[in-house]
Amino acid sequence: MALGLERGDVANDAVADALRTRLQWTRDQAGLALADGDAKAVAAFGQQAHALEQQLLEAWRFAQAAASPVAGAEAIDGEPPPSLATLQAALAPGDAWVQYHRLGARWIAAVVTRERVHWADGDATGLDERLEALRFQLEALRGAVPALQAHAAQLHERTRRHLQALHRQLWAPLADAVGASTRVFVVPHRNLHYLPFAALHDGRQWLVERHELALVPS
């Protein structure tokens, strides 16, 4: 049963607490289903968890707007977004700005440095399923379900495989453009916000070992 959330309920902490409790229960059930190898149950609980996360996200957005209505209006009606030249001037030497966008069955990304702009794109086929599978592997690794401890090594290996596959799909096509940038600002799009970019793995090292990463919401 999904919990309803109306605009007027946002200020009520009990609603958010109920959502979080149900979300944790759903994740725990998904972990148990994963341990049992029940793919159908994992998928069903995954859909429920995603719906609950969306409700929590909307609750947070409404709460922010209610707490600071003037700031929200300024964000919409104020100055336009900075130009490319302004962004490049704000980047320090060694910085790179990576901005993703999901576009149907493809993804595109702009890699901006002080000197140039590079465009990359790739196939998004299977991306949603891969992200969903990674999220459940990470939840299982948190150890919320004691029954999964015996499968820790297997879960670690599965998680690494997902992270390597996501690196190949999303980061490898733009890795040369990012180059040896010391600090990289990453702007995800849609469900890429759920991806732990720092944990992407190229088969030799984690992405966070190559760059200092900073996630930017928009």
Side-chain angles (χ1 to χ4, degrees):
M1 178 185 68
L3 296 175
L5 186 66
E6 301 296 333
R7 180 180 290 269
D9 294 330
V10 173
N12 188 348
D13 289 340
V15 174
D17 289 341
L19 284 168
R20 293 189 190 95
T21 299
R22 183 158 184 82
L23 178 59
Q24 185 58 57
W25 179 87
T26 303
R27 287 172 171 169
D28 289 346
Q29 295 304 306
L32 290 171
L34 181 66
D36 293 336
D38 189 346
K40 185 177 294 186
V42 169
F45 283 120
Q47 292 176 353
Q48 293 179 34
H50 181 69
L52 290 165
E53 288 168 348
Q54 291 301 309
Q55 291 185 64
L56 274 171
L57 179 60
E58 288 303 312
W60 180 84
R61 287 172 174 168
F62 287 146
Q64 293 298 306
S68 182
V70 175
E74 288 176 352
I76 296 173
D77 300 325
E79 294 296 323
S83 66
L84 176 60
T86 301
L87 172 60
Q88 288 182 297
L91 293 174
D95 284 354
W97 180 280
V98 177
Q99 184 147 342
Y100 284 93
H101 188 81
R102 290 286 304 275
L103 191 64
R106 306 287 296 175
W107 61 262
I108 58 175
V111 182
V112 183
T113 64
R114 288 175 65 92
E115 297 80 22
R116 68 191 185 100
V117 178
H118 174 86
W119 288 94
D121 72 292
D123 186 4
T125 302
L127 181 57
D128 295 336
E129 293 78 7
R130 179 72 70 180
L131 287 169
E132 191 69 22
L134 173 64
R135 288 174 56 215
F136 278 110
Q137 293 291 341
L138 292 175
E139 288 298 330
L141 284 171
R142 289 183 182 180
V145 183
L148 295 177
Q149 294 302 317
H151 306 279
Q154 184 180 22
L155 291 172
H156 273 285
E157 179 57 29
R158 288 178 180 174
T159 301
R160 180 180 291 237
R161 286 203 299 267
H162 286 307
L163 290 166
Q164 288 177 337
L166 287 164
H167 184 283
R168 289 193 299 271
Q169 187 170 15
L170 292 170
W171 195 265
L174 51 83
D176 288 343
V178 174
S181 298
T182 303
R183 183 171 57 170
V184 181
F185 298 90
V186 180
V187 187
H189 183 232
R190 292 173 56 182
N191 57 351
L192 293 182
H193 284 278
Y194 294 114
L195 176 61
F197 281 88
L200 292 179
H201 199 277
D202 65 1
R204 299 184 302 277
Q205 61 183 164
W206 309 103
L207 193 59
V208 72
E209 295 179 292
R210 295 181 59 87
H211 310 285
E212 176 188 343
L213 297 171
L215 291 182
V216 184
S218 65

